[in-house]
Amino acid sequence: MDLDWENLGFDILPTNGVVRIDYANGQWSDIYVEKETSLNLDMGAQVLHYGQACFEGLKAFKSQSGEISLFRPDMNAKRMISSADRICMQAPPEELFIQACQKAVEINKEFVPPYGTGASLYLRPLLIGTESMFAIRPSSTYTFIIMVSPVGPYYKDGFSPVEALVMENYDRAAPCGTGQSKVAGNYAASLKGAEEAHKKGFPIVLYLDSAKGQYIDEFGTSNFIGITKDNKYITPQSASILQSITNDSLRQLARDMGLEVLRQNIEINNVNIFAEVGACGTAAIITPIASITYQDKKVVFNNGEVGKTLQALYSELQAIQYGDKPDRYGWLVSIC
Ligand SMILES: Cc1ncc(COP(=O)(O)O)c(C=O)c1O
């Protein structure tokens, strides 16, 4: 495949096709492949009017020996089942979800970037309600698709820490709302705040709990992690944040590195306990946070540079993903 592997961004590039499974009459169809990425959808489809949609994001990596593996697809399957349940959708069972991910990579093997480029194949599973209706009730038919695209590494030339702004005008998720679910509506609701922050020069937004505006919830599209000055890994305990698979993996690696790992409420007024702060997620693994601005006050971490603990965690996880270090927790699912 003749692609400029070194300079991939995060665009959707044409590939060999997508995989698709349809749900009707109480059962899922077989997995099938479609070349086209356009959908033939009735204009009355539930997803278009009432937003029955949830999605996932995961990656496939190529090792030095050329082996291709998915990273923890079982976790994405479980999270989609939980997201779907929250908005009354039918989700593919875990095994079917994983088979579909494997198929999506198999038919697009030549789009998995070569080892050493730092790039990977991004998979975007999407589930939508397709029944045509004016009534507000769950759809009885669903379509599940997986699109893929090769994507570049976030940090080609080393980390670039970013400045974060605490969002005070809009909430991300209400208590008992959908913050824990990867449902499409959460992301539409986050656009305005993100745009306003960008205009002020902040590429990333930090949300507080919407009940009290006191505790840190998470960044717009990633979890909050902090390393304290006495070397503890702390991440918020909140019912309104997405259960990040990257955060789960990093917590394990942090424990292995001898750090104490805590999930607890973090008061926004206490962020100065942290020596290092990061935003973690599938896309970048860790985005170092140079500073957090709240009520016009800025707290800077590690002089605005990436700290050694986050750097070490990032390198360790990446080494496992690319097969440079043993997969000691069985996180990789190989593609035949
Ligand atoms: C709101 C939100 N939080 C956290 C994450 C990170 O989750 P993961 O590590 O599973 O990619 C994402 C990305 O999926 C997200 O959209």
Side-chain angles (χ1 to χ4, degrees):
M1 184 51 51
D2 194 17
L3 276 176
D4 184 5
W5 301 112
E6 305 289 339
N7 292 302
L8 292 170
F10 203 62
D11 297 329
I12 302 179
L13 303 179
T15 58
N16 293 337
V18 302
V19 300
R20 177 170 173 173
I21 323 176
D22 295 313
Y23 180 88
N25 302 320
Q27 58 187 30
W28 288 98
S29 70
D30 289 338
I31 299 170
Y32 59 103
V33 174
E34 289 204 333
K35 174 75 198 144
E36 293 300 323
T37 53
S38 59
L39 267 178
N40 191 358
L41 201 61
D42 194 285
M43 288 182 197
Q46 216 279 10
V47 60
L48 299 177
H49 300 254
Y50 308 126
Q52 255 196 326
C54 61
F55 65 100
E56 274 302 324
L58 67 160
K59 284 179 170 177
F61 300 89
K62 193 177 274 177
S63 72
Q64 193 160 20
S65 60
E67 200 180 328
I68 299 172
S69 306
L70 283 161
F71 184 70
R72 306 191 76 180
D74 53 317
M75 297 290 279
N76 296 92
K78 290 187 179 84
R79 195 167 63 186
M80 177 165 269
I81 289 168
S82 142
S83 299
D85 179 62
R86 178 63 182 80
I87 53 172
C88 294
M89 303 177 80
Q90 294 292 332
E94 183 173 329
E95 205 179 315
L96 187 58
F97 180 102
I98 296 172
Q99 277 170 9
C101 288
Q102 287 173 311
K103 183 82 180 170
V105 179
E106 266 164 41
I107 62 167
N108 288 300
K109 267 189 182 163
E110 66 265 44
F111 291 96
V112 184
Y115 174 84
T117 55
S120 53
L121 187 75
Y122 182 74
L123 282 75
R124 167 53 60 83
L126 170 71
L127 179 67
I128 55 171
T130 51
E131 188 181 347
S132 179
M133 57 168 90
F134 283 138
I136 303 184
R137 60 171 168 77
S139 176
S140 61
T141 55
Y142 293 93
T143 289
F144 174 71
I145 55 176
I146 304 180
M147 308 175 72
V148 306
S149 185
V151 294
Y154 253 64
Y155 305 109
K156 277 197 273 283
D157 309 310
F159 280 113
S160 37
V162 297
E163 316 239 315
L165 177 68
V166 173
M167 180 48 59
E168 293 178 67
N169 301 342
Y170 310 102
D171 290 323
R172 195 192 86 85
C176 306
T178 56
Q180 250 200 356
S181 314
K182 207 162 168 62
V183 298
N186 285 353
Y187 295 83
S190 75
L191 294 175
K192 198 164 174 63
E195 268 205 358
E196 289 180 6
H198 287 173
K199 280 193 196 129
K200 291 184 191 156
F202 295 93
I204 188 164
V205 172
L206 180 61
Y207 286 94
L208 304 181
D209 78 285
S210 55
K212 293 189 173 162
Q214 187 180 357
Y215 301 109
I216 291 174
D217 253 354
E218 65 175 329
F219 296 101
T221 57
S222 42
N223 273 186
F224 177 100
I225 56 178
I227 308 296
T228 59
K229 293 170 183 161
D230 57 352
N231 226 21
K232 292 186 180 120
Y233 178 118
I234 305 186
T235 192
Q237 177 73 58
S238 163
S240 304
I241 62 176
L242 197 74
Q243 297 303 310
S244 156
I245 296 159
T246 313
N247 194 351
D248 183 80
S249 312
L250 291 172
R251 287 200 297 274
Q252 185 58 57
L253 300 182
R255 272 184 225 109
D256 296 352
M257 283 164 53
L259 273 74
E260 188 180 346
V261 173
L262 300 168
R263 297 174 84 179
Q264 62 184 46
N265 288 337
I266 304 168
E267 285 208 36
I268 185 62
N269 287 324
N270 278 348
V271 277
N272 54 6
I273 60 168
F274 294 113
E276 303 175 36
V277 169
C280 72
T282 295
I285 301 182
I286 296 173
T287 298
I289 302 297
S291 68
I292 294 178
T293 298
Y294 175 53
Q295 294 177 339
D296 294 326
K297 282 198 285 294
K298 182 189 276 200
V299 178
V300 177
F301 306 100
N302 202 45
N303 296 320
E305 283 161 24
V306 60
K308 63 176 184 357
T309 305
L310 290 184
Q311 170 77 68
L313 284 166
Y314 172 90
S315 303
E316 182 73 6
L317 183 52
Q318 209 183 36
I320 293 174
Q321 290 176 329
Y322 283 103
D324 295 335
K325 287 214 172 157
D327 174 23
R328 57 189 188 271
Y329 295 106
W331 285 341
L332 301 182
V333 171
S334 76
I335 307 291
C336 305

